[in-house]
Amino acid sequence: MPAVRRDLGSFGVIYEICVDSVAGVRAAKDAGAQRVELCANLLEGGTTPSLGLIRAARKVAGIGIHVIIRPRGGDFLFNDDEYAVMLTDIAAAKAEGADGVVIGLLTAEGDIDADRSARLIAAARPLSVTFHRAFDMARDPFAALETLIRLGVERILTSGQEASVLEGLPLISELIRRAGERIIIMPGGGITSRNVARIIAAAHPQEVHFAALTAEAGGMQFRRGHVFMGGELRPPEFDRLVTSGGIIAQVIKNTKD
């Protein structure tokens, strides 16, 4: 098993921001984050971004880019076609200069899909590998932890198998205790400027993960308000969610005050 790598040196707490645009990468960098998780479809929890987005994001210097490898929303039981797509997407992310990939596969019984995960990890090397919140759907968190350590994953993103990190703090703290220096446990899910200091004080994580989205009106002047491009459950057609550098900066500030 490789030693756990600290991607960008000694910064105290490392801040990873979940983003879905090049502007989000820039906002994260300017606000002081060390890394982004680059995604598409944040309303579905994040899916693999396009090749064009990866390439454009990689042109932003001075910040780490980890690309999520998830071909669809929903559960984490992938068929053979989806798995083949994941392998191809890992190769594309490597070719575009990503610093890491983010994966997550489970069996139908709720265990880590160790065999397929091992093949994805091997395909990703020498990039850093994170196992995402598929971990929160695993039936036995401690067995899952040991499996991922054995596979050599660098970090686990988790809300402590609860709806938010605050609710999952007891499990997160225990995972960090059991993990020691063998793997990074990265809390993520519902972290805000109001609760981040409490989370860090309770669990003492090395890294934290959060989104910093705010609604922003689009630039269209002509609008046909009764026509929608999505389904029945949809965001406002002419608004968009963008990554807020101000929110990121406030979260970081509140961990240091």
Side-chain angles (χ1 to χ4, degrees):
M1 182 188 75
V4 171
R5 295 197 291 269
R6 303 297 183 263
D7 292 340
L8 295 167
S10 178
F11 287 91
V13 176
I14 289 175
Y15 303 94
E16 178 182 277
I17 315 302
C18 185
V19 305
D20 63 353
S21 68
V22 179
V25 178
R26 293 195 186 100
K29 174 193 171 185
D30 292 345
Q34 290 86 26
R35 187 172 68 233
V36 298
E37 180 193 52
L38 189 65
C39 305
N41 298 316
L42 291 183
L43 289 177
E44 290 195 83
T47 58
T48 307
S50 71
L51 177 62
L53 178 53
I54 298 170
R55 183 172 297 172
R58 182 64 285 172
K59 292 179 181 178
V60 180
I63 188 165
I65 294 179
H66 286 190
V67 176
I68 193 170
I69 306 296
R70 187 182 177 210
R72 57 163 174 79
D75 64 30
F76 305 103
L77 181 66
F78 297 108
N79 64 32
D80 290 344
D81 292 331
E82 292 164 337
Y83 184 70
V85 169
M86 296 171 84
L87 284 167
T88 301
D89 285 339
I90 285 174
K94 284 179 70 174
E96 294 301 323
D99 299 292
V101 296
V102 183
I103 65 171
L105 303 87
L106 299 177
T107 67
E109 296 74 27
D111 298 315
I112 304 297
D113 188 337
D115 290 341
R116 282 183 159 187
S117 295
R119 280 178 275 164
L120 292 186
I121 293 165
R125 295 304 186 199
L127 304 188
S128 180
V129 178
T130 299
F131 197 92
H132 59 51
R133 288 187 61 203
F135 180 89
D136 291 326
M137 299 298 181
R139 64 185 178 90
D140 183 336
F142 301 121
L145 170 68
E146 295 303 325
T147 296
L148 293 172
I149 290 171
R150 175 172 56 82
L151 290 172
V153 171
E154 273 78 14
R155 69 186 55 74
I156 299 169
L157 171 62
T158 179
S159 63
Q161 298 198 329
E162 296 288 351
S164 73
V165 169
L166 274 180
E167 295 166 279
L169 267 178
L171 177 57
I172 290 170
S173 298
E174 179 61 15
L175 288 168
I176 289 173
R177 186 190 71 79
R178 293 193 185 204
E181 294 298 315
R182 298 182 296 164
I183 196 170
I184 297 166
I185 304 298
M186 179 170 63
I191 293 178
T192 70
S193 61
R194 295 180 62 189
N195 62 30
V196 67
R198 175 181 169 187
I199 289 164
I200 289 177
H204 305 289
Q206 299 171 4
E207 305 182 2
V208 296
H209 168 105
F210 60 96
L213 299 175
T214 187
E216 179 182 276
M220 288 295 298
Q221 296 181 18
F222 173 77
R223 302 186 175 197
R224 183 165 282 117
H226 66 284
V227 178
F228 299 93
M229 299 296 113
E232 290 300 315
L233 295 174
R234 52 185 176 248
E237 189 69 27
F238 292 99
D239 288 354
R240 54 191 175 187
L241 291 175
V242 298
T243 300
S244 166
I247 293 174
I248 298 169
Q250 189 61 52
V251 171
I252 294 174
K253 178 179 182 296
N254 285 5
T255 66
K256 298 177 179 179
D257 285 349

